[in-house]
Amino acid sequence: MGFQLSDSFIADENRRLLAWLLEDYESLGRRLARRGVEVERLTERAMAFRVAVPSWGVGTGGTRFARFPGPGEPRDVFEKLEDCETILKLVRVTPGISLHIPWDRPERPAELKAFAQARGLVFDSMNSNTFQDQPGQRLSYKFGSLSHTDAGVRRQAIEHNLECLELGGKLGARSHTVWIGDGGNFPGQVHFRRALDRYLDSLRRIYAALPEKMRLFIEHKLYEPAFYSTVLNDWGTSYYCARELGERALSLVDLGHHAPNVNIEMIVARLVQLGKLAGFHFNDSKYGDDDLDAGSIRPFQLFLIFNELVDAEKEAVAGFEPSYMLDQSHNVTDPIESLMTSAVELVRAYVQASLVDRAALEAHQERNDATLALHTLKQAFTTDVGPILAMARYRAGGAIDPVASYRASGYRARKAEERPSTMGVGTGAGIV
Ligand code: RM4
Ligand code: MN
Ligand code: MN
């Protein structure tokens, strides 16, 4: 058993910050009361928020060009779960883990499940990987997987997904997420309609094997690794496929998988309305699939997405049950700090969106008052809800200041001693 962050260490850290937090929380509470908002209700919501952490996010990521391994990187899935537990202890909203197969294929699933359970962790989504070749693999995915022209390659890719489903069943996972790199680099390379037919046909076989308790999430992406066309390129195609497949097939939105300036919050609203929103891979980006920390580039967009989600929640839209996951992995930060930061930013956007005066917004919309409608949103977005987030963490046993406490714990240095460097398991190749 290696070094672990103890609850008493977090409590000691919090003691230093508590007096100020109480002061800030109280004054925010008074300001919100003037607007008819009860601060305690928001704190309860912040405490109830959940987002899953990706196993691939705790390794140092890379770009297409290079990978710079960090000290104390987890060397196997058990060590990855240790890092996920550390994140959970500090922020208290991340009990779910999203696993990537084969990067995290456990030899003994029951052992991994028990290991997770003992740490308060659960398996959220399984993720298949047919976007790169694995050592010893019989057929190559160089020209596609589920939509490949060769039925043999398609079969191999389907079987891999079936293996993920079986594993997911054993681990108690709630969903299976399929993202493929299939597409073309040059005009004419791929027959658009036939490729989509083949993809759908493969997915039908996967869907047929879906364990009863699991849902199937399909993830679109407009480009990369294919640069000219992808098979599941946008939300409309994703919606069509999800509808063709059946009730438990849903469309997942990865924020980094759209063209620049696309109105993602509107896509979210459409999928909610059509009953097909699976959930999210949260991250942020400036140019493409940058996989930066959530809210680091476009916090207002993140808020507007949560505005749609909270609106659907408050209206109790039938079948609305989105699954939140982080999907990020980049090069320059300590991944534990980045994942904690993203989790906190999501709770922030959720609480801010919960602050929107929906009755007022609706009235402004009815009167076509664009100015006051925007003001209503901005009033919520510009409210510093930091004390609510800190109070929620504190009450749940987490850290008032997660990154500061993490650094003070010396966790990374201790892990660097315990986990002598290998080449690093990371995320695998650098295309993601
Ligand atoms: C892809 C996509 C998938 C993720 C891989 C690692 O771009 O976002 O969800 O599993 O990267
Ligand atoms: Mn993703
Ligand atoms: Mn991605």
Side-chain angles (χ1 to χ4, degrees):
M1 174 73 64
F3 173 72
Q4 278 184 312
L5 214 68
S6 71
D7 287 344
S8 65
F9 172 79
I10 297 174
D12 286 345
E13 283 281 302
N14 284 347
R15 216 157 285 134
R16 266 186 318 115
L17 301 169
L18 188 57
W20 286 356
L21 172 59
L22 290 172
E23 199 177 304
D24 292 349
Y25 186 74
E26 213 191 304
S27 99
L28 176 60
R30 277 199 300 271
R31 282 179 52 210
L32 291 177
R34 283 206 297 273
R35 281 154 56 179
V37 176
E38 268 185 73
V39 70
E40 284 298 314
R41 296 290 86 75
L42 292 173
T43 308
E44 280 163 18
R45 285 172 72 75
M47 289 178 77
F49 187 85
R50 293 290 176 265
V51 57
V53 165
S55 60
W56 59 97
V58 289
T60 305
T63 67
R64 246 167 266 98
F65 303 105
R67 201 178 162 274
F68 298 98
E73 272 194 338
R75 294 164 303 180
D76 60 26
V77 64
F78 292 95
E79 292 184 349
K80 286 182 184 180
L81 290 196
E82 281 180 8
D83 287 359
C84 293
E85 182 193 10
T86 301
I87 295 170
L88 174 63
K89 279 189 170 162
L90 289 161
V91 299
R92 301 282 160 163
V93 289
T94 57
I97 309 294
S98 219
L99 282 187
H100 223 299
I101 307 300
W103 298 339
D104 299 313
R105 181 188 280 126
E107 272 167 39
R108 288 176 296 279
E111 190 187 324
L112 187 68
K113 193 175 177 189
F115 187 86
Q117 247 163 13
R119 285 160 179 76
L121 301 170
V122 290
F123 294 101
D124 191 67
S125 200
M126 305 300 290
N127 296 260
S128 56
N129 180 342
T130 60
F131 49 85
Q132 58 183 188
D133 289 345
Q134 304 300 331
Q137 184 179 306
R138 206 163 48 85
L139 301 168
S140 173
Y141 294 134
K142 178 171 177 181
F143 292 107
S145 58
L146 292 175
S147 79
H148 200 285
T149 48
D150 180 344
V153 179
R154 297 202 297 277
R155 204 170 313 118
Q156 178 180 285
I158 292 167
E159 273 159 22
H160 166 65
N161 277 278
L162 299 187
E163 182 206 335
C164 294
L165 292 181
E166 201 190 318
L167 204 51
K170 288 185 185 152
L171 294 172
R174 301 166 57 216
S175 58
H176 175 54
T177 306
V178 182
W179 173 72
I180 53 165
D182 296 31
N185 276 343
F186 293 96
Q189 182 188 335
V190 170
H191 189 287
F192 295 152
R193 281 182 287 119
R194 282 184 208 132
L196 186 62
D197 278 344
R198 292 192 294 262
Y199 167 74
L200 204 43
D201 190 61
S202 297
L203 270 184
R204 281 199 182 97
R205 288 162 213 262
I206 297 168
Y207 187 80
L210 192 67
E212 220 179 288
K213 289 196 188 120
M214 277 170 86
R215 301 189 297 167
L216 182 66
F217 297 168
I218 52 176
E219 184 180 354
H220 60 274
K221 183 173 184 180
L222 86 161
Y223 89 108
E224 205 193 28
F227 290 128
Y228 168 66
S229 66
T230 59
V231 174
L232 198 68
N233 60 305
D234 63 10
W235 77 272
T237 314
S238 176
Y239 167 72
Y240 164 76
C241 291
R243 208 185 54 183
E244 286 292 300
L245 288 168
E247 217 182 306
R248 284 182 296 140
L250 301 154
S251 302
L252 182 117
V253 177
D254 181 314
L255 300 196
H257 291 193
H258 306 88
N261 297 330
V262 161
N263 187 337
I264 300 179
E265 55 273 25
M266 196 161 157
I267 293 174
V268 172
R270 293 284 188 260
L271 286 172
V272 167
Q273 186 161 15
L274 299 170
K276 281 294 185 190
L277 179 69
F280 295 85
H281 276 179
F282 285 111
N283 49 48
D284 209 348
S285 58
K286 183 140 180 79
Y287 300 108
D289 190 24
D290 306 341
D291 279 330
L292 299 178
D293 302 354
S296 57
I297 307 279
R298 284 177 287 204
F300 190 49
Q301 173 183 268
L302 188 63
F303 163 81
L304 292 173
I305 289 169
F306 271 98
N307 179 47
E308 295 304 324
L309 296 169
V310 170
D311 191 72
E313 179 199 330
K314 300 244 160 168
E315 268 188 27
V317 172
F320 177 71
E321 210 195 317
S323 175
Y324 299 152
M325 292 176 262
L326 297 174
D327 181 10
Q328 61 185 54
S329 171
H330 47 84
N331 241 335
V332 297
T333 60
D334 179 324
I336 292 183
E337 293 185 7
S338 266
L339 289 164
M340 292 197 300
T341 301
S342 287
V344 168
E345 288 313 300
L346 294 186
V347 193
R348 187 189 313 282
Y350 178 64
V351 171
Q352 286 174 326
S354 305
L355 255 177
V356 171
D357 183 341
R358 286 183 196 277
L361 181 61
E362 198 184 332
H364 302 322
Q365 289 170 342
E366 289 303 313
R367 280 188 232 105
N368 302 306
D369 193 333
T371 302
L372 290 187
L374 178 61
H375 280 199
T376 304
L377 292 182
K378 280 289 179 71
Q379 185 191 43
F381 176 66
T382 56
T383 304
D384 178 8
V385 298
I388 295 174
L389 311 187
M391 183 57 83
R393 284 192 298 273
Y394 171 70
R395 288 190 188 161
I400 292 175
D401 186 341
V403 170
S405 295
Y406 169 71
R407 290 198 179 182
S409 75
Y411 182 90
R412 185 56 72 188
R414 296 293 294 271
K415 292 297 154 191
E417 285 162 22
E418 287 170 20
R419 304 170 178 170
S421 158
T422 58
M423 269 312 282
V425 282
T427 56
I431 59 150
V432 294

